[in-house]
């Protein structure tokens, strides 16, 4: 299936997909269950990894796994805080992402709208830097979900590279942060380097 998506992307000139979704089936009423694989994190991770490997076997086509992490509901997801113990987080909610990252190296990853234990997922240094990048060794680009409410300075500190879809307010906040010192030039260069690397790996750059 992943290979078919990669072929279709290639012939349509599509660089990447915002898929697969690697969240858990936690309730029968979740509006995104049709996108998720399972209530089992091992099955989820293995299927997502296979999907990504198949898609990315077509040079220049990239996957974006999402929504990192604990996207358990659609209603009010920009304000809800998913309060989870570290053990449950490790054994259930992060396991599928870990398998997919380590076994398929997706070109990009999308954070979730929700808070995790009171702090937005894309603003958690322990989640993005400590676990995803340092512990799992993820080298790809990390982006926010659409119209995210994250503070760009906090997101850049945690090694989120791109605020989607590129609103003027986000750009202005980054420029203001560079002026007042809340964002460093090194953080912006680090994020820009990952954006440029993704572009270099894209189908558009290879054609």
């Amino acid at each position: 299936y992943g290979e078919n998506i990669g072929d279709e992307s290639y012939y349509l000139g599509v660089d990447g997909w915002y898929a697969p979704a690697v969240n858990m089936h936690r309730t029968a009423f979740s509006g995104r269950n049709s996108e998720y694989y399972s209530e089992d994190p091992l099955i989820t991770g293995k299927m997502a990894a296979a999907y990504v490997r198949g898609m990315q076997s077509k040079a220049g086509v990239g996957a974006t796994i999402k929504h990192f992490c604990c996207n358990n509901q659609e209603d009010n997801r920009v304000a809800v805080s998913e309060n989870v113990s570290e053990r449950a987080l490790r054994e259930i909610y992060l396991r599928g992402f870990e398998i997919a990252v380590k076994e398929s190296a997706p070109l990009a990853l999308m954070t979730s709208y929700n808070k995790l234990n009171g702090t937005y997922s894309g603003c958690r240094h322990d989640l993005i830097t400590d676990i995803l990048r340092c512990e799992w060794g993820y080298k790809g680009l990390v982006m926010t979900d659409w119209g995210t409410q994250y503070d760009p300075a906090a997101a850049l500190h945690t090694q989120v590279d791109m605020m989607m879809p590129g609103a003027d307010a986000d750009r202005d906040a980054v420029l203001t942060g560079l002026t007042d010192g809340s964002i460093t030039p090194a953080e912006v260069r680090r994020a820009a380097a990952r954006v440029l690397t993704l572009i270099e790996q894209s189908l558009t750059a290879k054609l």
Side-chain angles (χ1 to χ4, degrees), residues 6-178:
D7 287 336
E8 184 176 2
S9 302
Y10 183 84
Y11 291 118
L12 291 174
V14 174
D15 296 293
W17 288 66
Y18 297 122
V22 194
N23 299 108
M24 296 289 100
H25 285 186
R26 300 303 293 160
T27 168
F29 300 105
S30 175
R32 304 295 281 268
N33 275 355
S34 60
E35 299 180 46
Y36 304 157
Y37 292 106
S38 173
E39 62 184 5
D40 183 287
L42 178 62
I43 293 173
T44 292
K46 290 293 186 180
M47 291 186 71
Y51 177 98
V52 172
R53 287 195 304 270
M55 182 193 301
Q56 294 186 170
S57 66
K58 180 61 72 171
V61 178
T64 302
I65 63 173
K66 61 182 187 180
H67 304 88
F68 192 64
C69 64
C70 297
N71 184 71
N72 295 332
Q73 65 185 59
E74 287 301 291
D75 185 48
N76 199 36
R77 62 181 179 147
V78 298
V80 68
S81 177
E82 303 292 355
N83 299 321
V84 186
S85 70
E86 183 176 357
R87 180 174 181 178
L89 194 63
R90 291 281 189 170
E91 294 183 357
I92 300 174
Y93 297 100
L94 292 181
R95 185 70 175 125
F97 285 98
E98 180 181 10
I99 294 169
V101 165
K102 290 182 175 179
E103 295 188 3
S104 65
L107 294 188
L109 177 144
M110 182 185 289
T111 60
S112 57
Y113 282 122
N114 58 276
K115 297 174 184 177
L116 174 61
N117 295 333
T119 301
Y120 284 112
S121 61
C123 299
R124 293 199 66 103
H125 189 277
D126 55 354
L127 183 67
I128 306 299
T129 296
D130 296 343
I131 294 177
L132 176 65
R133 294 207 182 275
C134 295
E135 186 177 321
W136 298 350
Y138 183 67
K139 304 299 183 185
L141 180 136
V142 176
M143 69 177 72
T144 69
D145 206 335
W146 252 237
T148 184
Q149 67 294 321
Y150 298 166
D151 170 31
L156 283 169
H157 294 334
T158 65
Q159 298 197 59
V160 172
D161 306 301
M162 191 159 57
M163 314 299 150
M164 298 301 290
D168 290 344
D170 292 331
R171 179 202 61 204
D172 294 343
V174 171
L175 293 174
T176 299
L178 285 169

Side-chain angles (χ1 to χ4, degrees), residues 15 192-206:
D15 296 293
R194 292 195 182 113
V195 173
L196 292 173
T197 297
L198 184 68
I199 292 171
E200 289 174 350
Q201 295 171 314
S202 70
L203 179 63
T204 300
K206 294 180 181 299

